C-alpha cells in the first residue's frame, strides 16, 4: 500500500526478491493539466501495472466493497509505505498484521512530512523505522530501525533519496524477521515518557501547506538556512519581494551562511561582492538559487543581472 515514488522502491524490492505481492493498493488517479481533464496514475500504480500486479484504488478505506475485495486476496501480511491512515478493519485483516515503513526514527517525527521537518529542524541524523500499525498514527510497536546521517549542506531531496533506498532495505529485513518468527517478530512499544524524563522534545511532522513554507526572517540565519533546504526543491520556501509599489512571490532554493553579523532590519537586501544577501535575525544570509513568480529557477547572480534591488526588501 503506497502512492508516491518513495513507495515504489520498496514495492520493487519486494517484486525483485520474489515475494508474492498479490495486490497493490494506491490512491485513485488524480486529474492533471490545464483543464484537469487528464487522469494521472500514482507512481506506485504505474509500476504495478507495468509488472502485471492487480491494483485497488479505493476512495474510502472503509468501503465494504473494497474491504471484501481486499479480503479475497487472502494476504498473510500488508506493507504500507507513504500511504494514508488505515481503519482497523483493514490493518488487522492479515494473519501477520500490517507494518509501516516510516521515514524517521520513531517516536520522533510522527506524521505526514517527517523528512522535511527533520531537515527544517537542523537534525544531523534521521532514519527509517518499521512498526506494526495500530489505532493511532505512527504509534505502533517498533520492529526495526536504521539511522541515516544528514550532512549540513543536504537538502530534502538528498535525504528523501537516501531514505527511499534505506526503507526498501529495511522492509526486506523486516520481512525476513517476520518469516523467521512465524509472523511474530520481536517488537517493542514506543515509549514517549523517556522524552519527559530526559527533558528533551518529542517532535512531530505535520503535513506541509503553502503557508507553512513562508520564511520568517526574524529567525536566525541558521534557522532560515535549514528551513530553505528542508523545503528544497519541493514544495519550496518562499518570501514576498516588495518594492516599487509592487510585491511578488520569491521562492528560495539554496542559501549560504556568511557568518557576518547584521544590525539591519530582518528582510533587508544588500549586494556584497556581487552576492545577494538578506538580513536574518542575527546574520546576513547569502541567496544562491531562487525563482521569481512566473520565471525559471536561476542563480542569484543571474537575478541581479536583470533586477535592480534598490529600495527592495523581503517579508
Amino acid at each position: 500500500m503506497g502512492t508516491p515514488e518513495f513507495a515504489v522502491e520498496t514495492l520493487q524490492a519486494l517484486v525483485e526478491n520474489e515475494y508474492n505481492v498479490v495486490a497493490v493498493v494506491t490512491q485513485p488517479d488524480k486529474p492533471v493539466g490545464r483543464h484537469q481533464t487528464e487522469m494521472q496514475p500514482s507512481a506506485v500504480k504505474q509500476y504495478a501495472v507495468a509488472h502485471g500486479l492487480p491494483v485497488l484504488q479505493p476512495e474510502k478505506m472503509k468501503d465494504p466493497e473494497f474491504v471484501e475485495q481486499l479480503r479475497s486476496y487472502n494476504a498473510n501480511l500488508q506493507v504500507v509505505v507513504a500511504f494514508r491512515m488505515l481503519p482497523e478493519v483493514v490493518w488487522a485483516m492479515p494473519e501477520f498484521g500490517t507494518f509501516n515503513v516510516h521515514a524517521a526514527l520513531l517516536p520522533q517525527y510522527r506524521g505526514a512530512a517527517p523528512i522535511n521537518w527533520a531537515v527544517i529542524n537542523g537534525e544531523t541524523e534521521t532514519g527509517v523505522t518499521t512498526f506494526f500499525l495500530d489505532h493511532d498514527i505512527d504509534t505502533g510497536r517498533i520492529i526495526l530501525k536504521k539511522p541515516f546521517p544528514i550532512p549540513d549542506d543536504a537538502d530534502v531531496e538528498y535525504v528523501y533519496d537516501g531514505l527511499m533506498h534505506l526503507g526498501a532495505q529495511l522492509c526486506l529485513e523486516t520481512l525476513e524477521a517476520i518469516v523467521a518468527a512465524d509472523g511474530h517478530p520481536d517488537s517493542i512499544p514506543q515509549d514517549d515518557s523517556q522524552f519527559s524524563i530526559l527533558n528533551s522534545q518529542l517532535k512531530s511532522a505535520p503535513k506541509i501547506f503553502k503557508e507553512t513554507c513562508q520564511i520568517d526572517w526574524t529567525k536566525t540565519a541558521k534557522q532560515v538556512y535549514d528551513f530553505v533546504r528542508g523545503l528544497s526543491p519541493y514544495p519550496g520556501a518562499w518570501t514576498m519581494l516588495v518594492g516599487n509599489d509592487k510585491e511578488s512571490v520569491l521562492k528560495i532554493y539554496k542559501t549560504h551562511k556568511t557568518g557576518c553579523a547584521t544590525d539591519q532590519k530582518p528582510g533587508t537586501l544588500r549586494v556584497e561582492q556581487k552576492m545577494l544577501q538578506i538580513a536574518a535575525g542575527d546574520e546576513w544570509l547569502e541567496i544562491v538559487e531562487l525563482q521569481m513568480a512566473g520565471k525559471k529557477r536561476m542563480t542569484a547572480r543571474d537575478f541581479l543581472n536583470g533586477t535592480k534591488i534598490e529600495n527592495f526588501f523581503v517579508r
Side-chain angles (χ1 to χ4, degrees):
M1 298 183 178
T3 296
E5 177 196 13
F6 190 90
V8 174
E9 189 79 11
T10 298
L11 176 58
Q12 182 175 336
L14 294 174
V15 171
E16 291 180 353
N17 283 272
E18 300 183 348
Y19 281 94
N20 182 25
V21 181
V22 293
V24 171
V25 183
T26 190
Q27 297 276 39
D29 296 358
K30 288 189 173 182
V32 294
R34 191 177 210 177
H35 303 291
Q36 300 282 287
T37 53
E38 185 181 341
M39 300 303 287
Q40 177 74 38
S42 72
V44 163
K45 179 180 178 179
Q46 292 177 51
Y47 180 90
V49 169
H51 291 79
L53 301 173
V55 178
L56 309 180
Q57 297 177 273
E59 290 281 354
K60 296 180 180 179
M61 300 301 291
K62 290 183 179 180
D63 180 355
E65 187 176 333
F66 161 70
V67 171
E68 285 311 306
Q69 191 177 9
L70 185 64
R71 200 186 306 278
S72 71
Y73 286 101
N74 199 29
N76 307 91
L77 178 73
Q78 292 171 162
V79 180
V80 178
V81 187
F83 193 44
R84 56 204 277 195
M85 191 170 181
L86 303 182
E88 183 174 3
V89 68
V90 172
W91 58 255
M93 187 183 295
E95 61 178 312
F96 296 157
T98 301
F99 77 83
N100 186 285
V101 180
H102 186 73
L105 296 175
L106 291 173
Q108 291 286 21
Y109 295 106
R110 294 175 180 141
I115 305 175
N116 298 93
W117 285 109
V119 181
I120 288 170
N121 289 335
E123 304 287 0
T124 57
E125 182 182 76
T126 184
V128 179
T129 304
T130 53
F131 68 95
F132 284 115
L133 264 65
D134 64 11
H135 292 93
D136 297 313
I137 297 175
D138 302 334
T139 59
R141 295 180 65 89
I142 291 172
I143 310 167
L144 293 174
K145 283 186 184 185
K146 270 189 183 292
F148 181 84
I150 305 177
D152 183 63
D153 61 350
D155 61 17
V156 78
E157 184 174 42
Y158 170 89
V159 183
Y160 181 100
D161 288 346
L163 294 184
M164 180 171 67
H165 297 296
L166 188 63
Q169 179 186 337
L170 193 64
C171 175
L172 295 179
E173 292 180 20
T174 302
L175 281 167
E176 289 168 8
I178 290 172
V179 171
D182 197 25
H184 302 284
D186 290 339
S187 60
I188 57 171
Q190 296 187 40
D191 182 13
D192 295 1
S193 65
Q194 62 177 305
F195 292 93
S196 56
I197 293 170
L198 297 171
N199 200 27
S200 58
Q201 187 181 2
L202 189 62
K203 299 167 186 173
S204 61
K207 189 174 180 178
I208 289 175
F209 299 95
K210 181 182 178 182
E211 55 269 23
T212 314
C213 302
Q214 184 171 11
I215 298 168
D216 179 358
W217 294 102
T218 66
K219 293 194 172 182
T220 67
K222 172 68 164 67
Q223 287 173 318
V224 176
Y225 170 82
D226 291 337
F227 187 78
V228 168
R229 65 193 185 100
L231 295 167
S232 180
Y234 182 82
W238 61 274
T239 189
M240 294 302 297
L241 180 64
V242 184
N244 295 337
D245 298 322
K246 293 181 181 178
E247 59 179 50
S248 59
V249 173
L250 178 70
K251 280 195 171 185
I252 297 178
Y253 292 101
K254 190 173 182 181
T255 65
H256 176 73
K257 293 172 286 185
T258 67
C260 298
T262 178
D263 58 1
Q264 296 294 310
K265 182 180 179 181
T268 300
L269 272 66
R270 76 172 185 180
V271 177
E272 189 75 10
Q273 297 180 343
K274 297 184 179 180
M275 295 183 297
L276 175 62
Q277 297 181 357
I278 300 178
D282 60 344
E283 297 176 355
W284 291 100
L285 192 67
E286 181 191 349
I287 309 305
V288 180
E289 290 183 21
L290 51 77
Q291 183 177 15
M292 290 288 293
K295 296 189 178 180
K296 291 182 179 179
R297 181 171 168 172
M298 66 180 77
T299 65
R301 242 168 222 213
D302 287 342
F303 170 77
L304 289 174
N305 286 337
T307 309
K308 293 183 179 180
I309 66 162
E310 290 84 356
N311 303 318
F312 276 78
F313 65 93
V314 294
R315 61 169 177 80

